[in-house]
Amino acid sequence: MAAIAAPGDGLCLDFVNTRYWRGSAVPTDELTGFQPLHGWLKEKGGHEEKTLDAAGAWAAKAPAKAGELFGEAIALRETIHRLFAAAASEAALPVADFDALNATLAIAPARGRLASPDGGWEVCLPGVSVSALLAPVLWSAADLLLSRKDRRIRQCANEKCRFLFIDESKNGTRRWCDMSSCGNRAKAHRHLMKKKQG
């Protein structure tokens, strides 16, 4: 048995946003192989350190299999991205992606019981697999999809950025992933256009 921290609503979007500047000619990807994925999981994934250490040792012994697992993780990330990009635009969820997420959830470790009063799940991990390592991301995606009508899922209005986020602003009109970056760029661009027209 292993303990996994209860994922926040936004964990699945954090995972999706490891590929950024999606609207630009050359998006940037912070996950370029198993090791960066392993690092992301250590930082945000919710697993106990011993679970991730075991996964790292497995990957060192089986680099080809680790490469396959990484490919599956990226495919899952893009499935989740398409689902939430559709949700952000209030479009119908892509059926193939919904089915793919459900198929992965079906083989993911089940949230059996609470590991402690502080939050977290006690689960049985069957071994190193995408569904096991990304179980918190999968749970987060399922929970957020089910509550999407009550949550404001948005995609950054910067056409080059396209980050996905949950709008928790009071009036529900947040347009930018971050006001200090994309929001300020938009302001500066509008100011420049006004100067040119004036």
Side-chain angles (χ1 to χ4, degrees), residues 48-173:
E48 292 176 304
E49 196 168 329
K50 66 181 181 181
T51 300
L52 292 173
D53 288 347
W58 168 85
K61 290 179 189 170
K65 286 187 178 179
E68 287 174 22
L69 187 148
F70 172 71
E72 292 171 25
I74 294 304
L76 179 61
R77 181 187 68 183
E78 296 311 298
T79 294
I80 295 170
H81 172 262
R82 288 187 295 271
L83 286 166
F84 285 104
S89 65
E90 297 181 358
L93 298 180
V95 174
D97 292 318
F98 183 79
D99 290 347
L101 177 64
N102 255 341
T104 310
L105 274 165
I107 57 173
R111 291 182 270 192
R113 62 184 197 165
L114 294 175
S116 73
D118 297 328
W121 294 96
E122 194 171 275
V123 297
C124 180
L125 294 176
V128 180
S129 67
V130 164
S131 59
L133 288 178
L134 293 178
V137 171
L138 291 164
W139 301 338
S140 167
D143 292 344
L144 187 56
L145 275 178
L146 290 174
S147 66
R148 72 187 182 281
K149 297 220 170 26
D150 301 320
R151 305 305 306 269
R152 295 183 297 247
I153 300 163
R154 305 277 191 252
Q155 196 160 33
C156 183
N158 179 345
E159 290 296 327
K160 290 189 176 178
C161 174
R162 309 310 284 153
F163 250 49
L164 288 162
F165 60 92
I166 300 169
D167 177 3
E168 294 177 330
S169 64
K170 275 187 181 179
N171 59 6
T173 58

Side-chain angles (χ1 to χ4, degrees), residues 6-77:
D9 286 350
L11 181 65
C12 59
L13 300 185
D14 289 344
F15 184 57
V16 162
N17 290 334
T18 58
R19 182 171 174 91
Y20 46 97
W21 295 112
R22 284 179 178 267
S24 66
V26 183
T28 303
D29 207 322
E30 71 180 74
L31 302 182
T32 55
F34 183 85
Q35 287 307 317
L37 172 63
H38 188 253
W40 185 86
L41 289 167
K42 276 194 164 189
E43 184 183 339
K44 297 193 176 185
H47 286 280
E48 292 176 304
E49 196 168 329
K50 66 181 181 181
T51 300
L52 292 173
D53 288 347
W58 168 85
K61 290 179 189 170
K65 286 187 178 179
E68 287 174 22
L69 187 148
F70 172 71
E72 292 171 25
I74 294 304
L76 179 61
R77 181 187 68 183

